[in-house]
Protein backbone atom coordinates (compact mmCIF):
# COMPACT_ATOMS: atom_id res chain seq x y z
CA UNK A 1 0.00 0.00 0.00
CA UNK A 2 1.07 3.58 -0.54
CA UNK A 3 1.97 5.76 2.39
CA UNK A 4 -0.56 8.55 2.85
CA UNK A 5 2.34 11.00 2.95
CA UNK A 6 3.17 10.30 -0.72
CA UNK A 7 1.49 11.20 -4.00
CA UNK A 8 1.00 9.42 -7.30
CA UNK A 9 0.16 10.75 -10.76
CA UNK A 10 -2.87 9.88 -12.83
CA UNK A 11 -3.88 9.98 -16.49
CA UNK A 12 -7.51 9.55 -17.59
CA UNK A 13 -8.76 9.20 -21.15
CA UNK A 14 -12.46 9.55 -21.90
CA UNK A 15 -14.00 7.66 -24.82
CA UNK A 16 -16.77 9.49 -26.69
CA UNK A 17 -18.81 6.30 -27.18
CA UNK A 18 -18.23 6.33 -30.93
CA UNK A 19 -14.60 6.33 -32.06
CA UNK A 20 -12.28 8.77 -30.29
CA UNK A 21 -10.64 9.60 -26.99
CA UNK A 22 -9.73 12.82 -25.24
CA UNK A 23 -7.42 13.16 -22.28
CA UNK A 24 -9.46 14.28 -19.29
CA UNK A 25 -6.61 14.17 -16.72
CA UNK A 26 -3.01 14.45 -17.87
CA UNK A 27 -0.31 13.32 -15.40
CA UNK A 28 -1.95 15.13 -12.49
CA UNK A 29 -0.66 14.65 -8.97
CA UNK A 30 -2.96 12.83 -6.53
CA UNK A 31 -2.24 13.52 -2.84
CA UNK A 32 -3.99 11.99 0.14
CA UNK A 33 -6.23 14.71 1.58
CA UNK A 34 -9.12 14.49 4.06
CA UNK A 35 -8.92 10.68 4.21
CA UNK A 36 -9.11 10.18 0.43
CA UNK A 37 -6.75 10.14 -2.56
CA UNK A 38 -7.99 13.05 -4.66
CA UNK A 39 -6.85 15.33 -7.47
CA UNK A 40 -6.88 19.04 -6.70
CA UNK A 41 -9.47 19.57 -9.45
CA UNK A 42 -12.85 17.84 -9.57
CA UNK A 43 -13.65 15.86 -12.72
CA UNK A 44 -17.06 14.63 -13.80
CA UNK A 45 -17.83 11.74 -16.12
CA UNK A 46 -20.27 12.15 -18.96
CA UNK A 47 -23.17 10.41 -17.24
CA UNK A 48 -23.53 8.08 -20.24
CA UNK A 49 -22.51 4.43 -19.69
CA UNK A 50 -20.81 3.83 -23.06
CA UNK A 51 -18.68 6.98 -22.72
CA UNK A 52 -16.06 5.11 -20.71
CA UNK A 53 -12.92 6.33 -18.96
CA UNK A 54 -9.50 4.63 -18.88
CA UNK A 55 -7.33 5.36 -15.84
CA UNK A 56 -3.55 4.98 -15.64
CA UNK A 57 -1.68 5.82 -12.44
CA UNK A 58 1.97 5.65 -11.44
CA UNK A 59 4.11 6.09 -8.34
CA UNK A 60 6.28 7.92 -7.48
CA UNK A 61 4.90 11.13 -8.91
CA UNK A 62 8.44 12.37 -9.63
CA UNK A 63 8.76 10.10 -12.69
CA UNK A 64 9.12 12.35 -15.71
CA UNK A 65 9.60 9.91 -18.59
CA UNK A 66 5.99 8.71 -19.03
CA UNK A 67 4.68 9.20 -22.58
CA UNK A 68 1.01 9.29 -23.42
CA UNK A 69 -1.30 10.09 -26.33
CA UNK A 70 -5.08 10.18 -25.91
CA UNK A 71 -6.56 6.73 -26.58
CA UNK A 72 -3.27 4.88 -26.20
CA UNK A 73 -1.79 3.08 -23.24
CA UNK A 74 0.98 5.17 -21.60
CA UNK A 75 4.59 3.99 -21.68
CA UNK A 76 7.55 4.54 -19.40
CA UNK A 77 11.10 4.62 -20.76
CA UNK A 78 13.45 3.45 -18.03
CA UNK A 79 17.16 2.82 -17.58
CA UNK A 80 18.31 1.46 -14.22
CA UNK A 81 20.71 3.91 -12.53
CA UNK A 82 24.26 2.71 -11.82
CA UNK A 83 24.03 3.57 -8.12
CA UNK A 84 21.90 0.98 -6.28
CA UNK A 85 20.52 3.57 -3.84
CA UNK A 86 19.13 5.50 -6.86
CA UNK A 87 17.18 2.47 -8.14
CA UNK A 88 13.60 3.31 -7.18
CA UNK A 89 10.52 1.15 -6.77
CA UNK A 90 7.97 2.09 -9.42
CA UNK A 91 4.34 0.98 -9.22
CA UNK A 92 1.55 1.38 -11.76
CA UNK A 93 -2.19 0.85 -11.87
CA UNK A 94 -4.63 0.57 -14.75
CA UNK A 95 -8.43 0.60 -14.61
CA UNK A 96 -9.96 0.60 -18.10
CA UNK A 97 -13.48 0.99 -19.42
CA UNK A 98 -14.95 2.54 -16.29
CA UNK A 99 -18.58 3.32 -17.09
CA UNK A 100 -19.24 6.98 -17.87
CA UNK A 101 -22.25 6.95 -15.55
CA UNK A 102 -20.25 5.81 -12.51
CA UNK A 103 -21.05 7.96 -9.52
CA UNK A 104 -18.33 6.88 -7.10
CA UNK A 105 -14.59 6.92 -6.59
CA UNK A 106 -12.49 4.76 -8.91
CA UNK A 107 -10.50 1.90 -7.35
CA UNK A 108 -6.84 1.55 -8.33
CA UNK A 109 -4.69 -1.46 -7.50
CA UNK A 110 -0.98 -0.71 -7.77
CA UNK A 111 1.57 -3.33 -8.84
CA UNK A 112 5.36 -3.23 -8.73
CA UNK A 113 6.85 -3.25 -12.25
CA UNK A 114 10.39 -4.31 -11.26
CA UNK A 115 12.01 -7.24 -9.57
CA UNK A 116 13.78 -6.51 -6.30
CA UNK A 117 16.88 -8.51 -5.41
CA UNK A 118 18.04 -8.80 -1.82
CA UNK A 119 20.79 -10.98 -0.40
CA UNK A 120 20.65 -12.85 2.90
CA UNK A 121 22.71 -15.57 4.54
CA UNK A 122 20.97 -18.63 5.95
CA UNK A 123 21.91 -20.27 9.22
CA UNK A 124 24.04 -23.03 7.66
CA UNK A 125 26.22 -23.77 4.67
CA UNK A 126 28.54 -20.75 4.64
CA UNK A 127 32.17 -20.93 5.75
CA UNK A 128 33.26 -18.38 8.37
CA UNK A 129 34.30 -15.07 6.91
CA UNK A 130 33.10 -11.65 5.78
CA UNK A 131 31.27 -10.76 2.58
CA UNK A 132 32.70 -7.47 1.30
CA UNK A 133 30.85 -7.00 -1.97
CA UNK A 134 27.83 -8.06 -3.98
CA UNK A 135 27.57 -7.85 -7.77
CA UNK A 136 24.99 -8.63 -10.44
CA UNK A 137 26.67 -8.90 -13.85
CA UNK A 138 25.44 -8.45 -17.43
CA UNK A 139 21.91 -7.38 -16.47
CA UNK A 140 19.49 -6.02 -19.08
CA UNK A 141 18.84 -2.56 -17.66
CA UNK A 142 16.95 -0.49 -20.23
CA UNK A 143 13.48 -0.85 -21.62
CA UNK A 144 10.03 0.51 -22.25
CA UNK A 145 7.22 -0.44 -19.90
CA UNK A 146 3.72 -0.42 -21.35
CA UNK A 147 1.01 0.26 -18.76
CA UNK A 148 -0.80 -2.84 -20.02
CA UNK A 149 1.84 -4.77 -18.05
CA UNK A 150 4.45 -5.64 -20.67
CA UNK A 151 8.12 -4.74 -21.03
CA UNK A 152 10.10 -4.30 -24.25
CA UNK A 153 13.75 -4.63 -23.25
CA UNK A 154 16.74 -3.22 -25.09
CA UNK A 155 18.69 -6.48 -25.51
CA UNK A 156 21.91 -4.61 -26.30
CA UNK A 157 22.13 -2.54 -23.12
CA UNK A 158 23.59 -4.54 -20.25
CA UNK A 159 25.27 -3.35 -17.07
CA UNK A 160 26.85 -4.76 -13.98
CA UNK A 161 25.66 -3.45 -10.63
CA UNK A 162 27.68 -3.77 -7.46
CA UNK A 163 27.98 -2.43 -3.96
CA UNK A 164 30.38 -2.71 -1.07
CA UNK A 165 29.04 -4.47 2.02
CA UNK A 166 30.48 -5.84 5.21
CA UNK A 167 28.57 -8.87 6.47
CA UNK A 168 29.79 -11.69 8.64
CA UNK A 169 28.90 -15.16 7.38
CA UNK A 170 28.26 -16.39 10.92
CA UNK A 171 24.57 -17.23 11.40
CA UNK A 172 21.62 -15.70 9.60
CA UNK A 173 22.44 -12.23 8.24
CA UNK A 174 20.63 -9.73 6.03
CA UNK A 175 23.17 -8.35 3.54
CA UNK A 176 21.02 -6.04 1.39
CA UNK A 177 17.71 -4.45 2.34
CA UNK A 178 15.91 -1.11 1.98
CA UNK A 179 18.12 1.36 0.08
CA UNK A 180 20.66 -1.39 -0.66
CA UNK A 181 18.12 -3.58 -2.49
CA UNK A 182 19.04 -4.07 -6.16
Amino acid sequence: SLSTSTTFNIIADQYDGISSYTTLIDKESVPYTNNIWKTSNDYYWSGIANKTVNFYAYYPSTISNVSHTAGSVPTLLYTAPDNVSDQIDIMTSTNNNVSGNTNSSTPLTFNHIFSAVQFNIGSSGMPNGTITGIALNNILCKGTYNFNGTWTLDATTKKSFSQTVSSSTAGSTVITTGATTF
Side-chain angles (χ1 to χ4, degrees), residues 65-124:
N65 47 351
V66 173
S67 298
H68 172 256
T69 303
S72 66
V73 177
T75 59
L76 164 70
L77 178 61
Y78 188 79
T79 302
D82 293 336
N83 188 345
V84 174
S85 64
D86 293 335
Q87 296 172 0
I88 60 174
D89 182 19
I90 296 176
M91 295 187 288
T92 63
S93 179
T94 300
N95 190 350
N96 288 331
N97 300 315
V98 174
S99 176
N101 64 359
T102 300
N103 189 19
S104 64
S105 58
T106 301
L108 295 171
T109 301
F110 283 84
N111 295 298
H112 300 272
I113 66 170
F114 296 121
S115 295
V117 180
Q118 295 179 331
F119 290 88
N120 300 307
I121 299 172
S123 60
S124 62

Side-chain angles (χ1 to χ4, degrees), residues 14-22 46 48-53:
Q14 187 167 329
Y15 180 61
D16 68 1
I18 301 168
S19 64
S20 63
Y21 287 87
T22 56
S46 67
I48 301 168
N50 72 332
K51 292 188 175 183
T52 59
V53 182

Side-chain angles (χ1 to χ4, degrees), residues 16 31-32 34 40 55 59 102 105 107 116 119 122 130 133 136 145 149 166 169:
D16 68 1
Y32 190 80
N34 297 326
S40 59
F55 293 93
Y59 168 86
T102 300
S105 58
F119 290 88
T130 301
L136 299 172
Y145 178 77
S166 180
T169 59

Side-chain angles (χ1 to χ4, degrees), residues 137-157:
N137 296 313
N138 296 316
I139 305 296
L140 293 175
C141 62
K142 181 178 180 180
T144 301
Y145 178 77
N146 186 309
F147 277 54
N148 68 8
T150 60
W151 276 98
T152 303
L153 295 175
D154 176 348
T156 62
T157 305

